[in-house]
Amino acid sequence: MFEFSNDMPPFVQTVLGYAEQGIELAKSWLLSPAAWSQFAVLIVAYLAARFIARRFVPRIDTIVRPAKDAEGMITEARLFIVQFLPLALPLLAYVLTGIGEEITRSIFGSGAVIAFGKRVFLLLAARALVKDIIKDPFLKLLGRYVLMPAMVLYALGLLDPAIAKLTATEVGIGNIRFSVMSLVRGAIAGALLFWFGRWSTGQSRSYLARQEELRPATRELAMKTAELFIFGAAFLLLMNIMGINLSTLAVLGGAIGVGIGFGLQQIASNFISGIILLLEGQATVGDYVELDGGEAGTIVKMTARAAILETWDGKWIVVPNEHFITTRVINYSDSGAAKRYEAPFSVSYDTDINRVPDIIEAAVAKLDFVLAEPDGPDCELRGFGDSGVDFAVEFWVNGIDDGRNKFTPQVLFAVWNALRDNGIEIPYPHRVVEIKGTLPTS
């Protein structure tokens, strides 16, 4: 039918060859009584599947779909089942077509037409899966550009030749050779495995975060262990799928070891320090810490390399894990909920200082955030300054006096009001200037 020229590229000749085969196949189908019978079976199978789906799928949806306010694992399982109901029509058509194919082959001895229709129904099921069911952006992208082209080739009967061609084509890296098919299979499997690893890691972290009976450090260590285990298993499974012998990675492992020994010392040190922190529980997520350099904040995240502190003004500070091991770190959250602070102030030298402690302690004790245990407010004389008598009132509170909980300013307000109500003056700086000799005359 097509005239081939030697000047044509091989790809064009291949395409024209497939086109000629398709035309001959279409002619044989149109002129064959067996083919018309198979077309009729396809139509009957589709109509029967449509009738069954319309009649029973809404009932199944009503039975399986949970109430709007229902919660729990059973509810999630029922919602998971309900989302696959759009596949009912094409899959029912596929099953009924398969039954019709067996009958047709037993009568006519052939079933090419009905087999093609069955593959088309499976293609429609894949399309419904990608379009209506998959919600994750990554999986939808994978379904659109990997699953759908593969299903189109499968429906046209070209999937096996394409796989054979990709398997026969090899690429090499040094002494290691791969078929293109193994690379494609590895890329798809790797994408799916690491997506599943990320999803399962999120699920495990969510589950462990709800276990309030565990210490925060224990929970964080369990999360890190689960993450390493999941991605390690995904990596080993990927190597097995790609057909890579793990013994070939020994040289790469040795190179990585040398790299850690020379260029990655700090990364390895921070990683090991992070494990020590999680094991010992010296600092974990939620703790308010102050570093040796003066930085202070709440630990909001701990990674394999560093901890992230959030200051009271919303800034994030990335602190390498090694600093928590090798330098002095004050952990305000680890020693208990109650913390003691002090508010300094001064009074005039004209004041009867014997009255000051009782006045201040009574005023500070009225504040609702000041604790009576382990000790109530304590006003102490600290010294005699240049301009006044220096005092300080010590008080205990639940929590930390940071940017979110300014306890000390409220205490100083109470001190000011108490001194003013009792007629006690807070001094301002005084200086005595002595002039020697006579004053100059104008």
Side-chain angles (χ1 to χ4, degrees):
M1 178 175 296
F2 293 105
E3 295 184 359
F4 296 98
S5 172
N6 293 331
D7 297 334
M8 290 184 179
F11 175 75
V12 175
Q13 295 182 16
T14 302
V15 172
L16 291 177
Y18 280 125
E20 185 174 5
Q21 294 176 15
I23 293 173
E24 293 295 332
L25 182 62
K27 286 181 178 181
S28 65
W29 285 0
L30 292 174
L31 300 176
S32 171
W36 283 102
S37 300
Q38 294 176 52
F39 278 121
V41 172
L42 282 176
I43 295 173
V44 171
Y46 174 76
L47 293 176
R50 189 176 182 87
F51 172 78
I52 296 173
R54 282 189 173 183
R55 189 172 184 84
F56 293 102
V57 169
R59 296 183 182 180
I60 297 174
D61 185 278
T62 303
I63 295 172
V64 177
R65 186 179 296 275
K68 293 184 178 180
D69 55 347
E71 296 180 355
M73 295 182 61
I74 297 178
T75 300
E76 294 179 1
R78 294 171 68 179
L79 289 173
F80 180 78
I81 295 173
V82 166
Q83 68 179 348
F84 287 97
L85 290 179
L87 296 179
L89 176 58
L91 290 181
L92 277 171
Y94 177 83
V95 172
L96 295 176
T97 305
I99 298 173
E101 181 184 9
E102 295 297 326
I103 298 173
T104 304
R105 289 186 183 277
S106 65
I107 297 175
F108 298 101
S110 65
V113 176
I114 200 169
F116 173 75
K118 188 172 68 171
R119 294 195 298 268
V120 170
F121 287 137
L122 199 59
L123 172 63
L124 295 177
R127 180 178 178 274
L129 177 68
V130 174
K131 182 180 178 182
D132 301 324
I133 297 175
I134 296 178
K135 303 301 181 184
D136 184 84
F138 174 76
L139 291 182
K140 188 176 285 291
L141 185 68
L142 202 63
R144 185 177 300 164
Y145 294 104
V146 177
L147 177 62
M148 291 306 300
M151 292 304 299
V152 170
L153 292 176
Y154 173 73
L156 296 175
L158 301 177
L159 184 60
D160 290 338
I163 292 176
K165 182 65 176 178
L166 293 176
T167 303
T169 306
E170 292 187 346
V171 294
I173 302 176
N175 295 327
I176 304 175
R177 299 194 66 81
F178 302 96
S179 67
V180 175
M181 187 61 206
S182 66
L183 294 177
V184 172
R185 185 170 59 243
I188 297 172
L192 288 173
L193 283 173
F194 282 95
W195 174 86
F196 179 75
R198 186 185 63 180
W199 176 83
S200 55
T201 298
Q203 294 295 316
S204 61
R205 291 183 70 90
S206 176
Y207 172 77
L208 291 170
R210 295 194 298 268
Q211 308 306 310
E212 298 181 356
E213 66 275 7
L214 299 177
R215 295 178 65 248
T218 305
R219 289 201 300 268
E220 193 68 24
L221 179 61
M223 292 176 188
K224 295 297 181 185
T225 304
E227 184 175 356
L228 289 174
F229 175 79
I230 290 170
F231 281 103
F235 175 76
L236 295 177
L237 185 57
L238 177 60
M239 294 296 101
N240 187 39
I241 291 174
M242 294 185 65
I244 299 176
N245 190 348
L246 294 179
S247 61
T248 59
L249 300 177
V251 177
L252 180 61
I256 293 176
V258 173
I260 291 176
F262 288 97
L264 304 178
Q265 292 183 10
Q266 291 299 320
I267 294 177
S269 175
N270 287 319
F271 179 77
I272 296 173
S273 298
I275 295 176
I276 294 174
L277 284 174
L278 293 175
L279 287 173
E280 295 184 353
Q282 296 177 354
T284 186
V285 175
D287 288 355
Y288 186 88
V289 297
E290 181 179 347
L291 305 179
D292 202 18
E295 302 89 349
T298 302
I299 301 177
V300 295
K301 186 178 182 181
M302 296 189 72
T303 65
R305 186 188 65 86
I308 299 177
L309 307 185
E310 183 179 14
T311 63
W312 61 267
D313 54 355
K315 297 177 181 177
W316 278 23
I317 304 175
V318 180
V319 182
N321 292 327
E322 185 182 12
H323 288 198
F324 288 89
I325 303 297
T326 59
T327 62
R328 184 179 66 93
V329 178
I330 301 175
N331 190 338
Y332 289 94
S333 302
D334 197 43
S335 58
K339 302 291 184 296
R340 191 187 72 171
Y341 297 96
E342 65 176 39
F345 64 96
S346 300
V347 298
S348 171
Y349 275 105
D350 297 332
T351 305
D352 181 3
I353 61 175
N354 297 295
R355 300 170 51 210
V356 173
D358 293 337
I359 295 173
I360 299 303
E361 290 173 4
V364 175
K366 294 178 181 178
L367 299 174
D368 56 358
F369 56 84
V370 175
L371 303 177
E373 296 292 338
D375 193 9
D378 181 23
C379 184
E380 299 177 350
L381 175 64
R382 292 296 175 85
F384 301 100
D386 295 337
S387 303
V389 183
D390 297 329
F391 285 87
V393 56
E394 297 175 348
F395 58 95
W396 288 80
V397 295
N398 270 327
I400 302 166
D401 189 14
D402 63 356
R404 299 182 181 89
N405 305 302
K406 282 296 186 181
F407 299 123
T408 302
Q410 298 182 58
V411 170
L412 290 175
F413 271 111
V415 169
W416 170 275
N417 293 328
L419 294 178
R420 185 188 58 185
D421 293 343
N422 287 272
I424 298 175
E425 179 185 355
I426 295 179
Y428 53 86
H430 292 76
R431 293 292 182 268
V432 176
V433 179
E434 181 180 353
I435 300 176
K436 294 184 178 181
T438 59
L439 293 172
T441 58
S442 56

